[in-house]
Amino acid sequence: MELHVNGETLHFAKDTMTMLDLLEAYDIEEKVAAVEKNKEIIRKTDYSQTNLEDGDRIEIVHFVGGG
Amino acid sequence: MIKQRYSRQELFAPIGTEGQQKLANKHVVIVGAGALGSANGEMLARAGVGKITIIDRDYVEWSNLSRQQLFTEEDAAHAHTKAKAASRRLQAINTSITIEGVVEEFAAETAEVFMEDADFVIDGTDNFNTRFIINDACAKWRVPWVYGGCLTSYGIVLAIMPGKSPCLQCLIDQIPQQGRTCDTVGVIAPAVQITAAYQTAECLKYLTGYEMSQELLNFDVWERKHVAVNVSPLINPYCPSCSAKATYPFLMKQQGIQTAVLCGRDTVQVRPAQTNTLSIPALAKQLKPFSDSMKDNGELLIFTIKKNRFVVFQDGRTLIHGVSDVEQAKKLYQRYIGA
């Protein structure tokens, strides 16, 4: 399937995946500050039940510590 | 005061002369005088905020000069403390406001003292341990603050209105591991400046009577990407830091000697159980026979023994370079500086 993640179009071999799968693929799960799917914010507790579909627009914002 | 000083800011309709007057009566506390602390400090001093307190535990090094705009080569050469060097520069920029530089660690034990008369807090820290202390202290005292972080060409900003918008703890339930830091993957000044600009803008909005943004904003200045997410639904009604049932876990006072590993720097900070003013000349005299080199710059005592460089502050805090193991650092501290 095809997902638009932070403005980039990405292709995934899988046909079904959850938000948790996506975050794990990025290996930044613990640094995630907020996640949006099609402009709707997703709560942390819902990541594993949020199914992603072809064409979904995802925004992932992650924390950084520097300053 | 020179009448024209704030004229361009007063012409900006949302602030006006009324807003300018408000700024003159406000007190902003900046935690950390690194890159973000410097950039925010300079903008707020030029904006005419009546009082600025800037707190930092560190001293100026050459690697800071690429982006920490308040410091000069002289500050790095003499290892001036960041808090004092920053306050000197800010005072030179604006002599009509009050600037206070505090050479201290912003820690659970001391954080609340700074909240008493703070109107706003700016996060200028480089680590999440201190940010969670800010988060708890601001939540407890209901002081609004703005989180800022930057790394490589990326930055992130979130304004936090305790009890009304999600706090750091609402968004993240654990302190993120800091594998990537400014000391390992670097940072560029434009990322610092944009992050600080958004922080200062939120601060000025709040201080002149406007609502702050509820968007978590992030950007990559190199890739020219910007994302803003409205995080207001994420406020946690059971949050241990900002809800009605808060316990403020990061304000729990610690017992005994405290240590902190300074990320990516092969350095451990050791803080004595009780901070008390140390006699630097007396310590210098005592350690002279053991030291390979020694310098007393009036604020700090810097000496090297074998492969370790020690930087001792007047409050007894010591940075030990050349060590990453906490227990080893404690031993070195006890051997040379005291219990």
Side-chain angles (χ1 to χ4, degrees):
Chain A
M1 71 167 127
E2 202 176 87
L3 295 174
H4 307 283
V5 181
N6 292 1
E8 259 178 77
T9 304
L10 302 176
H11 299 276
F12 292 86
K14 291 183 195 168
D15 282 334
T16 57
M17 63 194 291
T18 65
M19 189 65 87
L20 187 63
D21 296 332
L22 178 69
L23 295 176
E24 281 174 352
Y26 275 90
D27 198 24
I28 56 164
E29 195 201 336
E30 60 166 22
K31 283 186 186 156
V32 169
V35 177
E36 261 187 359
K37 182 184 125 177
N38 303 330
K39 291 277 166 199
E40 190 185 329
I41 201 148
I42 309 294
R43 285 168 201 280
K44 198 161 286 194
T45 47
D46 297 337
Y47 291 167
S48 60
Q49 291 115 53
T50 304
N51 293 312
L52 303 182
E53 287 169 27
D54 198 48
D56 277 347
R57 296 188 174 273
I58 316 292
E59 299 291 350
I60 304 170
V61 182
H62 67 278
F63 279 125
V64 292
Chain B
M1 193 196 300
I2 319 292
K3 206 163 169 253
Q4 294 299 308
R5 171 152 209 156
Y6 303 114
S7 65
R8 299 304 183 271
Q9 191 165 280
E10 288 170 346
L11 281 169
F12 177 62
I15 293 181
T17 49
E18 203 178 310
Q20 192 61 49
Q21 200 52 49
K22 284 182 185 158
L23 292 180
N25 295 314
K26 301 295 184 186
H27 178 200
V28 175
V29 173
I30 303 176
V31 184
L36 291 176
S38 290
N40 277 287
E42 178 153 351
M43 283 186 277
L44 293 170
R46 289 186 190 277
V49 169
K51 184 178 176 187
I52 298 171
T53 299
I54 188 159
I55 308 157
D56 196 281
R57 65 181 179 186
D58 210 347
Y59 62 92
V60 182
E61 293 181 279
W62 288 94
S63 67
N64 301 147
L65 299 183
S66 65
R67 66 200 183 284
Q68 300 185 16
Q69 68 195 67
L70 298 178
F71 309 131
T72 62
E73 291 184 356
E74 198 191 334
D75 293 321
H78 292 98
H80 289 147
T81 59
K82 287 186 177 179
K84 292 296 177 198
S87 64
R88 276 193 292 272
R89 174 69 185 148
L90 293 174
Q91 196 71 81
I93 286 170
N94 193 342
T95 54
S96 67
I97 60 172
T98 305
I99 306 281
E100 185 188 24
V102 182
V103 186
E104 208 176 274
E105 177 165 43
F106 188 85
E109 292 79 3
T110 54
E112 290 185 67
V113 174
F114 296 104
M115 297 299 121
E116 285 169 7
D117 64 343
D119 292 300
F120 197 92
V121 174
I122 296 267
D123 166 23
T125 68
D126 63 356
N127 67 88
F128 278 102
N129 287 306
T130 313
R131 283 193 183 95
F132 274 84
I133 295 170
I134 297 176
N135 191 59
D136 273 10
C138 285
K140 188 170 174 186
W141 288 78
R142 290 292 189 252
V143 178
W145 69 287
V146 58
Y147 156 66
C150 51
L151 193 67
T152 62
S153 52
Y154 177 91
I156 177 167
V157 180
L158 177 69
I160 296 170
M161 192 73 198
K164 294 195 175 149
S165 75
C167 78
L168 214 51
Q169 179 84 50
C170 292
L171 296 189
I172 195 164
D173 40 25
Q174 57 183 342
I175 292 184
Q177 295 292 315
Q178 293 207 96
R180 287 155 52 86
T181 72
C182 298
D183 296 305
T184 58
V185 293
V187 61
I188 55 171
V192 170
Q193 295 295 333
I194 296 175
T195 306
Y198 277 111
Q199 287 182 290
T200 291
E202 290 306 315
C203 177
L204 294 177
K205 275 158 71 176
Y206 175 77
L207 295 181
T208 53
Y210 296 92
E211 298 248 325
M212 298 193 293
S213 170
Q214 300 225 349
E215 284 181 338
L216 176 69
L217 183 130
N218 75 333
F219 65 85
D220 187 318
V221 63
W222 201 260
E223 303 294 336
R224 297 181 69 97
K225 284 184 183 164
H226 289 78
V227 175
V229 174
N230 186 329
V231 292
S232 55
L234 297 181
I235 191 164
N236 174 4
Y238 306 103
C239 177
S241 293
C242 74
S243 70
K245 294 203 170 108
T247 54
Y248 313 111
F250 292 91
L251 294 180
M252 305 270 190
K253 300 192 176 27
Q254 309 283 316
Q255 303 291 321
I257 289 185
Q258 297 300 305
T259 54
V261 179
L262 302 197
C263 242
R265 282 175 54 182
D266 204 18
T267 299
V268 176
Q269 173 188 261
V270 183
R271 185 156 53 90
Q274 285 179 326
T275 48
N276 38 17
T277 311
L278 197 85
S279 166
I280 283 190
L283 186 67
K285 197 175 162 196
Q286 186 188 320
L287 291 173
K288 190 99 196 168
F290 306 101
S291 307
D292 304 318
S293 70
M294 182 175 273
K295 188 167 92 178
D296 171 1
N297 76 356
E299 288 187 293
L300 308 171
L301 181 69
I302 303 167
F303 59 91
T304 307
I305 298 180
K306 292 174 190 157
K307 64 180 178 52
N308 296 110
R309 192 157 72 100
F310 295 72
V311 180
V312 185
F313 291 72
Q314 282 165 343
D315 62 3
R317 253 177 343 102
T318 302
L319 298 180
I320 307 178
H321 299 285
V323 59
S324 51
D325 178 68
V326 163
E327 290 309 313
Q328 178 69 16
K330 271 192 203 175
K331 273 188 208 157
L332 288 167
Y333 183 86
Q334 283 162 335
R335 186 180 307 158
Y336 297 114
I337 293 130

